[in-house]
Amino acid sequence: MQRGFFSKASWRTIVAILCAGLIADIDSLSANFGPLAYLRSNRTATHSITFVLVLALAAFLFSLRRNPRASDSIGFSCVAIAAAAALHILMDLLQPDPLALFWPFSARRFSLDISPAIDPWLLVILAAAILLPELFRLVSDEIGSHSKRPRGRNGAIAGLAFAIIYFAMRAQFHGNVTASLEARTVSGEIPRHVQAFPDSISPFLWHSVVETESALHLYTLRSMGGEVTYATGVTTVRKPQPSPVLSAAQSSPAAITFLKTARFPKATVEQETDGFSVEINDLKDRAMQTPGHAILADIHLDHTAKVISSELQWQKTPSRQ
């Protein structure tokens, strides 16, 4: 983005652009303070439109203090920094982990689910956009031809254009998969909620979850062009029957916090010698085989369905289903 649209930026502005494009992920440090802090802080404040505006205002005030008369430079820096911060949020919006765009005015989270957190094909596109122009520049220097255009600008713009086309392709595949899932019945039941999550490597594979009245079904589908086929069999996870124990567990503090962000919550109720234990997981993590910060709610109740303890925990081993 800097090479394509802000090629005349000073080195200070380039450093500021890099910082503005990366600083939003500082909220991931909240994982060091436990799953509760991570669930409440990750992808909230620093991944909001408010944060972009705050960064732009800070850049404006800092530039104004350094050189009150350089209005063009001040505006240039503010736009570049705001664009870098906004681009980070837009890229994260494409991923399955939802973010609170309108924090602190709304806790609602959004995600488009078309791109994995680390996309190797996108990295190839962006690397080519930087490296190929450098190679052509070396060849031009060898034959004595010198371009007056800003260094790497055309390649950067072309790389961004290819990235947009790539995301549009992913969005098309994602739409085909969700439409296919919504049109099918599962074990005679109509889907109530469907979602497809991207594979970490292949843009053609989609890890899907379909919720029906009595169960949740996990698929891996292959979408190529307009054709959608099964890549694996169907894994069915039955929902627990409604009960006072389950209702009490879902009303516990840990469960309330967890259910605010879980995409496909699934509870498992087990009877123990001193009462009951209830574990609530997000089947999105199981479908995607999330290796990172997957969280579950663990609730313990006595024989009268009174909550004894409730806490959020990291998923360290395959959860009980």
Side-chain angles (χ1 to χ4, degrees):
M1 187 193 69
Q2 181 272 319
R3 284 195 169 201
F5 300 102
F6 305 100
S7 55
K8 296 181 180 180
S10 66
W11 70 268
R12 291 187 179 88
T13 301
I14 293 175
V15 171
I17 288 173
L18 291 173
C19 291
L22 296 171
I23 195 172
D25 282 339
I26 196 173
D27 59 11
S28 63
L29 296 177
S30 60
N32 295 321
F33 302 96
L36 178 59
Y38 181 78
L39 207 59
R40 288 178 173 175
S41 302
N42 188 51
R43 298 197 169 212
T44 55
T46 59
H47 284 78
S48 66
I49 296 174
T50 301
F51 187 70
V52 174
L53 297 177
V54 168
L55 282 182
L57 178 60
F60 173 79
L61 295 176
F62 181 77
S63 300
L64 191 64
R65 182 179 179 182
R66 287 180 57 86
N67 191 357
R69 297 181 180 179
S71 58
D72 292 342
S73 177
I74 292 171
F76 181 86
S77 298
C78 292
V79 172
I81 289 170
L87 182 60
H88 182 123
I89 292 176
L90 177 61
M91 295 286 288
D92 282 358
L93 185 63
L94 302 177
Q95 300 171 12
D97 291 331
L99 48 91
L101 269 182
F102 301 107
W103 180 95
F105 308 105
S106 173
R108 184 181 176 185
R109 300 196 178 204
F110 301 86
S111 65
L112 297 179
D113 304 328
I114 67 172
S115 177
I118 299 177
D119 190 332
W121 299 106
L122 177 63
L123 293 178
V124 169
I125 293 173
L126 298 180
I130 297 295
L131 297 178
L132 289 180
E134 292 298 321
L135 177 61
F136 296 151
R137 184 183 181 88
L138 289 175
V139 174
S140 298
D141 290 344
E142 285 293 327
I143 63 177
S145 174
H146 298 282
S147 174
K148 296 182 179 180
R149 292 190 298 270
R151 182 173 182 175
R153 181 178 184 182
N154 290 344
I157 293 176
L160 291 175
F162 276 111
I164 292 173
I165 294 172
Y166 173 70
F167 285 133
M169 179 193 72
R170 272 191 166 276
Q172 180 66 39
F173 291 162
H174 179 266
N176 291 342
V177 169
T178 54
S180 176
L181 292 172
E182 290 171 348
R184 304 176 182 180
T185 59
V186 185
S187 300
E189 294 183 326
I190 299 174
R192 299 171 59 181
H193 180 202
V194 306
Q195 194 51 266
F197 303 107
D199 186 73
S200 60
I201 297 177
S202 173
F204 305 110
L205 293 179
W206 298 85
H207 306 288
S208 309
V209 183
V210 177
E211 180 182 4
T212 60
E213 184 176 357
S214 64
L216 295 115
H217 310 271
L218 284 71
Y219 304 78
T220 297
L221 298 180
R222 182 178 290 105
S223 177
M224 300 185 69
E227 183 180 1
V228 177
T229 58
Y230 289 96
T232 64
V234 180
T235 300
T236 297
V237 181
R238 295 292 172 183
K239 294 181 180 179
Q241 293 296 322
S243 66
V245 172
L246 181 59
S247 298
Q250 291 173 336
S251 300
S252 66
I256 290 174
T257 301
F258 180 77
L259 292 174
K260 288 180 179 178
T261 59
R263 305 286 298 275
F264 288 91
K266 164 63 174 64
T268 303
V269 181
E270 290 190 357
Q271 186 168 5
E272 300 179 346
T273 56
D274 56 348
F276 300 89
S277 67
V278 179
E279 183 180 285
I280 306 177
N281 301 271
D282 189 351
L283 282 194
K284 174 184 78 71
D285 299 326
R286 177 175 172 181
M288 297 185 62
Q289 300 179 350
T290 305
H293 299 107
I295 296 173
L296 61 86
D298 188 51
I299 304 102
H300 293 270
L301 308 93
D302 62 18
H303 289 287
T304 64
K306 180 181 179 180
V307 175
I308 300 173
S309 65
S310 69
E311 63 175 345
L312 298 174
Q313 300 178 358
W314 301 114
Q315 284 190 17
K316 297 181 179 179
T317 58
S319 57
R320 301 190 308 268
Q321 300 296 345

